[in-house]
Amino acid sequence: DTGVSQDPRHKITKRGQNVTFRCDPISEHNRLYWYRQTLGQGPEFLTYFQNEAQLEKSRLLSDRFSAERPKGSFSTLEIQRTEQGDSAMYLCASSRKEGYTFGSGTRLTVV
Amino acid sequence: KQEVTQIPAALSVPEGENLVLNCSFTDSAIYNLQWFRQDPGKGLTSLLLIQSSQREQTSGRLNASLDKSSGRSTLYIAASQPGDSATYLCAVISSDYKLSFGAGTTVTVRA
């Protein structure tokens, strides 16, 4: 059990470019979550998966955002045509029964 | 929609003093509640998980209480140390296994 891994740790991109983040959950965890956190705020829910099924998407997740979890293992979060307002920390968490384990996050800066 | 509030937003204490961090939530029909610690620019580290049937949970110098009926949880940190300086986040877990976070309490322990 190496915890939840997120890659990359930091990403700087120009406005309008596409970015993709990866999350590797704890192997026996069937639920995987994506959250977004801006400075001084608590994390906000974006979406979550149970196994490979995406069960819910927040209204925060515009059409430019898409998430996948093929085969119920790792997950990717893609942001198309990035905007400056997308700059934030993107956090991934996984869970099996009770309690949630978070990764170190991906810090996105859109310039 | 679950609303989570943490008071105070920031706290500065001398080393050795006990810390009391408050969390309130609007919907008492919760599944569990989890306290996290976040260091600047980092991910979330789980501190304590309180199941809805429990009244409190303890780990070392940390003690968390839960009063579902009044929609409150309190995190106590005994004999604070400079290493306790961080942001503490309260997360309420609903029956659909989603977490709702407060904005956090930023703690500074002065040596």
Side-chain angles (χ1 to χ4, degrees), chain B residues 44-63:
Chain B
L44 278 62
T45 300
S46 177
L47 297 175
L48 290 168
L49 171 71
I50 310 177
Q51 297 179 3
S52 61
S53 58
Q54 296 177 316
R55 299 282 299 196
E56 66 177 333
Q57 192 68 249
T58 298
S59 175
R61 294 185 295 112
L62 275 59
N63 173 275

Side-chain angles (χ1 to χ4, degrees), chain A residues 1-6 24-28 101-104:
Chain A
D1 177 359
T2 57
V4 178
S5 299
Q6 290 190 247
D24 286 89
I26 293 171
S27 57
E28 64 267 27
T101 303
F102 277 80
S104 299

Side-chain angles (χ1 to χ4, degrees), chain B:
Chain B
K1 179 177 182 282
Q2 180 74 268
E3 300 288 341
V4 182
T5 303
Q6 290 188 247
I7 293 173
L11 188 58
S12 179
V13 299
E15 183 176 4
E17 194 163 300
N18 296 333
L19 292 165
V20 180
L21 310 180
N22 297 299
C23 171
S24 62
F25 46 93
T26 53
D27 185 351
S28 62
I30 67 170
Y31 186 61
N32 291 326
L33 185 144
Q34 194 164 357
W35 282 93
F36 293 90
R37 168 186 171 136
Q38 187 174 33
D39 293 296
K42 305 292 185 182
L44 278 62
T45 300
S46 177
L47 297 175
L48 290 168
L49 171 71
I50 310 177
Q51 297 179 3
S52 61
S53 58
Q54 296 177 316
R55 299 282 299 196
E56 66 177 333
Q57 192 68 249
T58 298
S59 175
R61 294 185 295 112
L62 275 59
N63 173 275
S65 66
L66 174 63
D67 184 343
K68 276 181 53 178
S69 61
S70 65
R72 295 179 189 225
S73 177
T74 302
L75 178 66
Y76 302 90
I77 303 177
S80 61
Q81 304 168 358
D84 295 329
S85 297
T87 296
Y88 292 83
L89 293 160
C90 167
V92 173
I93 302 161
S94 54
S95 57
D96 60 359
Y97 305 112
K98 280 167 36 184
L99 298 93
S100 299
F101 284 88
T105 294
T106 299
V107 171
T108 303
V109 181
R110 307 185 304 272

